Amino acid sequence: MDAHLAFRTEGWKGKRLHLGVCGSVAAYRALDLVRQWQDAGLSVSATLTPAAQKFVTPLTFAALGASPVYTAPFDDAQAPTPFAHLEPGQVAQALVIAPASAATIARLAQGQADELLACQALAFRGTPVIAPAMNPAMWSHPATQANIGLLRSRGCAVVEPGCGRTACGDEGQGRLADLREIYLAGLRALAPQDMAGTRVMVTLGPTREHWDGLRFWTNPSTGTMGAAVAVAAWLRGARVEAVCGPGTPWLPAGITRHNVVSARQMLEAASSVWPLCDAGVFTAAVADFSPVPPADAARKFKKSDAPDGFDVHFAPNPDILKTLATSRRPDQKVAGFAAESQGLEDSVRGKLVSKKADLVVGNLLQDGFGTADNTVFVADASGREERWTRLSKTDVAWRLLSWLLSR
Ligand code: CTP
């Protein structure tokens, strides 16, 4: 699992996710989902429809730790409990159906309780997450689209199927979505929606300052920390605007991504979304300077252009955090990051003031660049200070959002 998606937060310890698996070639991919949610600290139970059992076995799900695994027909006297049709709905906090077949989607839309999984879905008090997988003609059929529309109108989260070639050889939209989308939709169904109704901007990754037609000035930021903040805010119900430098990680489709290259482009993109936002988290490792390009910046600078070497002049870049924090409305909250080689605590306190931020999270260069976890010193404008040692970046993201929300 990518480091920015590995959420093992306290928030869902002891929670159970129920996975419904329908008949589809993609049924085998549901096994990876069981693993991923378990790695996040959830307990997972499963129901395999009779059609699903033609593709995958209950034993495989049980061997991977799914418990219980329901397979018995709805009215089977041999079923382990007479309440198999109710139990997941009473015990699990999230219900994800992946892959969801056209038949099960139709049952769910009609509230038809003639099959175990459909019955469990009917007895579930929340709204299920549905990840359809089927032939493109079946997916685009007006009947399926009407059923999906109905389920959406009842609040179901639909993880749109992907486009491409399906197992039957047809091209189009219909194959099971990227598993990361389904994994995150399951977590979102469990996460506290304490950021619902808010919009958050996150800057992330490095910037790249071009010098000639080939070369540029940059730094080794991977954008993992910022991606973890963006995903954490989205899981908690926020709308998220991610302003991403080059090479930053994959983000779910629910997050609006603004790809930029240079510091100036990042400022431009951030400035255009900032007035719409309630909070900004500035994690990007923005280049503070850009090399002043040679006369013909589009051309490759040749060895023969400077046989004895040459000097490059660097011009300052705008400070994005400081610019936007200075001009913010009183209701907008701002968190910054600080990457330091020494004097961490004093630098964090200094940047709180100089950048006009509400909160600054600082780390030493060796603790935060290119790693999955981080040791940070956090301070806010009211004087509260904390040190978080060797926390995953996803935990740092979760905690910093809680802190920012509470201010
Ligand atoms: N930042 C920014 N725009 C810049 C430089 C920094 O938005 N041109 C933001 C970063 O995203 C981070 C914070 O400012 O949230 C601190 O960045 P950092 O690189 O630690 O500090 P600098 O402002 O670059 O200052 P210095 O180089 O003196 O440490």
Side-chain angles (χ1 to χ4, degrees):
M1 179 57 59
D2 299 348
H4 69 295
L5 306 178
F7 283 91
R8 284 191 66 92
T9 75
E10 296 295 316
W12 42 74
K13 274 234 169 77
K15 294 208 169 163
R16 187 168 123 187
L17 181 149
H18 188 70
L19 171 65
V21 184
C22 303
S24 159
V25 179
Y28 77 94
R29 305 190 65 205
L31 291 160
D32 277 339
L33 287 169
V34 172
R35 265 277 160 79
Q36 291 168 6
W37 284 319
Q38 284 178 334
D39 286 349
L42 300 174
S43 62
V44 180
S45 52
T47 298
L48 274 59
T49 65
Q53 291 171 58
K54 299 215 166 26
F55 294 92
V56 284
T57 72
L59 181 64
T60 326
F61 281 82
L64 284 178
S67 174
V69 179
Y70 300 96
T71 55
F74 178 47
D75 53 357
D76 189 343
Q78 304 303 312
T81 157
F83 301 110
H85 62 303
L86 302 179
E87 196 263 356
Q90 292 164 336
V91 179
Q93 290 77 30
L95 170 62
V96 181
I97 304 183
S101 65
T104 293
I105 289 169
R107 283 193 184 94
L108 262 50
Q110 298 310 315
Q112 213 174 303
D114 59 346
E115 197 262 345
L116 183 61
L117 177 59
C119 205
Q120 290 171 334
L122 207 55
F124 180 67
R125 289 210 171 78
T127 46
V129 174
I130 296 164
M134 65 194 75
N135 168 276
M138 292 170 73
W139 171 247
S140 60
H141 193 283
T144 306
Q145 288 304 309
N147 288 334
I148 283 288
L150 197 55
L151 292 172
R152 275 193 216 273
S153 72
R154 291 187 199 139
C156 293
V158 176
V159 186
E160 287 274 327
C163 293
R165 208 153 75 91
T166 48
C168 55
D170 280 2
E171 289 275 348
Q173 188 178 13
R175 66 185 193 191
L176 190 67
D178 186 320
L179 283 198
R180 293 172 294 189
E181 293 280 3
I182 306 170
Y183 158 78
L184 289 177
L187 295 189
R188 196 170 199 242
L190 291 168
Q193 296 299 291
D194 53 355
M195 297 184 74
T198 66
R199 196 187 282 214
V200 178
M201 181 183 80
V202 184
T203 69
L204 60 147
T207 62
R208 190 180 279 178
E209 314 300 323
H210 273 276
W211 180 67
D212 72 350
L214 179 68
R215 299 158 182 107
F216 52 80
W217 169 258
T218 189
N219 63 68
S221 167
T222 58
T224 303
M225 187 63 243
V229 173
V231 175
W234 179 76
L235 290 176
R236 293 165 72 160
R239 287 178 69 174
V240 179
E241 309 283 343
V243 183
C244 303
T248 37
W250 174 91
L251 293 171
I255 291 179
T256 308
R257 189 176 180 121
H258 309 265
N259 287 327
V260 299
V261 177
S262 66
R264 283 178 195 283
Q265 288 174 0
M266 187 172 274
L267 175 63
E268 199 178 313
S271 302
S272 70
V273 292
W274 180 230
L276 310 171
C277 295
D278 304 286
V281 183
F282 296 76
T283 74
V286 183
D288 291 325
F289 301 94
S290 293
V292 177
D296 184 0
R299 167 183 160 266
K300 182 185 170 200
F301 190 83
K302 305 289 284 180
K303 247 197 313 261
S304 55
D305 290 330
D308 300 324
F310 64 102
D311 293 327
V312 178
H313 183 69
F314 282 80
N317 276 333
D319 187 319
I320 301 167
L321 164 55
K322 193 170 173 178
T323 307
L324 299 187
T326 307
S327 62
R328 68 171 143 157
R329 298 187 308 268
D331 61 294
Q332 288 178 303
K333 296 180 181 178
V334 167
F337 273 70
E340 306 295 342
S341 50
Q342 57 189 19
L344 179 64
E345 300 191 1
D346 285 345
S347 292
V348 166
R349 292 181 194 117
K351 281 179 184 171
L352 253 179
V353 178
S354 68
K355 307 261 185 179
K356 300 192 169 21
D358 296 305
L359 183 76
V360 171
V361 182
N363 63 267
L364 290 171
L365 294 181
Q366 68 268 23
D367 287 334
F369 268 78
T371 56
D373 52 13
N374 207 347
T375 291
V376 297
F377 173 71
V378 195
D380 76 10
S382 73
R384 179 177 158 198
E385 297 184 345
E386 285 183 18
R387 180 174 286 279
W388 302 339
T389 307
R390 294 253 69 85
L391 273 192
S392 67
K393 288 185 175 174
T394 51
D395 276 341
V396 172
W398 201 272
R399 285 196 191 183
L400 104 82
L401 288 174
S402 300
W403 191 334
L404 200 60
L405 273 186
S406 69
R407 283 190 44 86

